[in-house]
Amino acid sequence: MKETDLIIMDLRQFLMCLSLCTAFALSKPTEKKDRVHHEPQLSDKVHNDAQSFDYDHDAFLGAEEAKTFDQLTPEESKERLGKIVSKIDGDKDGFVTVDELKDWIKFAQKRWIYEDVERQWKGHDLNEDGLVSWEEYKNATYGYVLDDPDPDDGFNYKQMMVRDERRFKMADKDGDLIATKEEFTAFLHPEEYDYMKDIVVQETMEDIDKNADGFIDLEEYIGDMYSHDGNADEPEWVKTEREQFVEFRDKNRDGKMDKEETKDWILPSDYDHAEAEARHLVYESDQNKDGRLTKEEIVDKYDLFVGSQATDFGEALVRHDEF
C-alpha cells in the first residue's frame, strides 16, 4: 500500500470519527443516543467538608490534577497553589473574585478540551505563525480525500467540508478566515461557547430533519435516537421519549420542534455547579468577609483547595477509624 493511500485512510478514519462524535456517541439499536449537552459534575465524590475536601480538590483542580497534589508535602502544595492563584487573578489586582474563581473551575474541568485543541493545533498550523487559516485547515483535513471523486466509505467529504467551512466562519469573529487559538477552540468545541450555540442547533436539526422541512417531528426525533432494527416492540424508554416530546419538547403543541424548541432540548440551562463551588470556596476562605480572596487567604486555607501528603494521610486515618 502506498504512503499516500495510508494518509487518505487515516484522514477518512479521522473524519468519520469527527462526524460521528459531533452527532452522537455510537450505541446499540436498543440503547438511547443522547444529543443533550449537559454540564458535567465537578466530582464523583460526595460534597461533605466535614468528612473530607476531596470534592473541592476535584472541583478546583480537575480530578486527575488533584491526584498529583496528594504526593506533595504541605509546603510544596502551598507553593504550587500560590502559582495557580496568580493565574486565576485575571486582572492582576491582587484579589480573586467569585467570577474569576468560577472561570478557573470551568477551565480546570474542561482541561481535556484545551489539550485536544493543542494536539490538533500542531497538525493544522502548517506555517507555524500561531494562527490557523481556513485554507490550512481545509488542506490538512481534506486535501487528499477531495482528490478521490468516489470514496468507498460512503462519506460525502465535500458536504462535510461545506459544513465545516460554515462553522469555521461562525467561530471566526473578525471574519478574516484566520482563527486564533480561542476561535479554533470554538470551532472544534462549539457547544462550549455561547456565540456558537446557534450553529450547534442548526447542525443538529440538519442531522435529524430527514424531510428537510426545517422542523423535527416526532418520528424524526425518535428515529434519531432509536432504530427499530426489525423489532416490533419498542423499549420502555422509547415510549417515555415519545411522551417527553409531546409534553415537554414540543412547547407550542404543533407536532414538531422548531429552532428554539430544539435549542431548549439540546442546550438546557443547567444548574451552574462551577459558580456554586466558587461561592462556597470564597465563603469558607474569606477571612475579612470582603467578598474576595487574597493569595494569603487562599494559601492559609490551602487544604480546602488542594491536597497534600498531610491531608491524604489525615483522611486515611479518618477512614481507618471509621473502619
Side-chain angles (χ1 to χ4, degrees):
M1 183 177 288
K2 297 179 181 178
E3 183 177 357
T4 54
D5 292 334
L6 289 172
I7 294 173
I8 291 171
M9 185 180 299
D10 289 341
L11 278 170
R12 284 178 177 165
Q13 289 172 344
F14 166 75
L15 289 168
M16 281 192 291
C17 179
L18 181 64
S19 175
L20 291 168
C21 288
T22 301
F24 43 71
L26 284 172
S27 60
K28 297 176 183 177
T30 56
E31 291 178 348
K32 183 178 178 181
K33 299 170 183 174
D34 193 3
R35 287 187 179 270
V36 181
H37 299 278
H38 289 292
E39 285 290 320
Q41 295 291 320
L42 301 183
S43 173
D44 59 3
K45 299 179 176 67
V46 176
H47 194 183
N48 184 355
D49 288 356
Q51 293 293 322
S52 80
F53 296 131
D54 286 347
Y55 178 97
D56 301 296
H57 299 168
D58 285 358
F60 181 69
L61 295 167
E64 291 304 313
E65 185 69 12
K67 293 176 185 176
T68 67
F69 275 78
D70 293 339
Q71 308 307 315
L72 304 178
T73 65
E75 290 72 25
E76 290 170 332
S77 283
K78 290 178 182 179
E79 183 180 356
R80 279 184 64 181
L81 176 59
K83 293 177 181 177
I84 291 173
V85 173
S86 297
K87 295 179 182 178
I88 299 173
D89 180 16
D91 57 11
K92 306 303 177 188
D93 66 349
F95 298 96
V96 171
T97 65
V98 169
D99 283 342
E100 287 174 330
L101 199 48
K102 178 182 72 173
D103 290 343
W104 168 261
I105 290 171
K106 288 189 174 182
F107 167 80
Q109 292 296 317
K110 295 172 180 176
R111 201 184 304 267
W112 67 271
I113 290 176
Y114 299 100
E115 291 171 352
D116 173 58
V117 171
E118 285 296 331
R119 283 193 298 270
Q120 297 209 43
W121 186 264
K122 294 173 183 176
H124 291 96
D125 181 14
L126 303 180
N127 62 5
E128 299 183 346
D129 64 347
L131 300 165
V132 172
S133 69
W134 167 247
E135 286 301 314
E136 283 179 311
Y137 179 82
K138 181 177 73 173
N139 290 335
T141 307
Y142 294 102
Y144 288 98
V145 294
L146 292 178
D147 292 335
D148 184 355
D150 187 25
D152 56 8
D153 54 28
F155 275 81
N156 186 333
Y157 293 103
K158 289 186 178 180
Q159 186 176 350
M160 290 170 65
M161 186 180 72
V162 169
R163 182 160 156 157
D164 270 358
E165 184 176 12
R166 182 182 63 191
R167 189 197 285 189
F168 193 97
K169 288 178 177 177
M170 179 73 78
D172 175 31
K173 285 186 170 181
D174 57 10
D176 61 358
L177 286 179
I178 299 174
T180 62
K181 190 164 288 186
E182 187 71 11
E183 290 170 335
F184 194 62
T185 304
F187 167 69
L188 293 176
H189 299 278
E191 69 283 351
E192 302 296 333
Y193 291 80
D194 285 340
Y195 80 100
M196 294 293 290
K197 287 184 177 180
D198 283 347
I199 202 74
V200 175
V201 174
Q202 184 176 357
E203 290 178 1
T204 301
M205 293 190 75
E206 288 172 351
D207 288 340
I208 304 175
D209 178 22
K210 300 305 182 185
N211 63 8
D213 66 349
F215 299 93
I216 298 174
D217 61 38
L218 176 57
E219 293 311 313
E220 288 170 333
Y221 174 79
I222 295 297
D224 177 64
M225 61 180 68
Y226 170 73
S227 173
H228 284 274
D229 199 29
N231 295 324
D233 296 329
E234 291 181 340
E236 196 61 35
W237 69 261
V238 176
K239 297 175 184 176
T240 301
E241 282 297 335
R242 289 185 181 276
E243 294 171 2
Q244 289 282 319
F245 183 94
V246 173
E247 296 296 325
F248 302 107
R249 309 278 184 246
D250 177 21
K251 298 185 187 315
N252 62 5
R253 301 292 196 272
D254 65 351
K256 54 195 176 184
M257 286 196 295
D258 58 23
K259 181 179 177 181
E260 285 305 312
E261 289 167 331
T262 302
K263 185 176 183 178
D264 289 343
W265 166 44
I266 66 171
L267 298 169
S269 299
D270 287 338
Y271 175 75
D272 196 332
H273 295 279
E275 181 172 358
E277 177 65 10
R279 292 187 180 280
H280 167 67
L281 293 176
V282 170
Y283 177 81
E284 294 294 335
S285 310
D286 185 14
Q287 295 174 12
N288 62 4
K289 302 304 176 185
D290 64 350
R292 55 188 184 174
L293 301 179
T294 62
K295 181 183 289 188
E296 290 72 23
E297 286 176 320
I298 292 175
V299 173
D300 282 349
K301 196 75 171 177
Y302 83 98
D303 57 341
L304 172 64
F305 291 84
V306 299
S308 70
Q309 290 174 347
T311 55
D312 197 43
F313 178 67
E315 287 164 15
L317 286 178
V318 170
R319 287 191 292 271
H320 180 270
D321 290 344
E322 289 176 345
F323 175 76

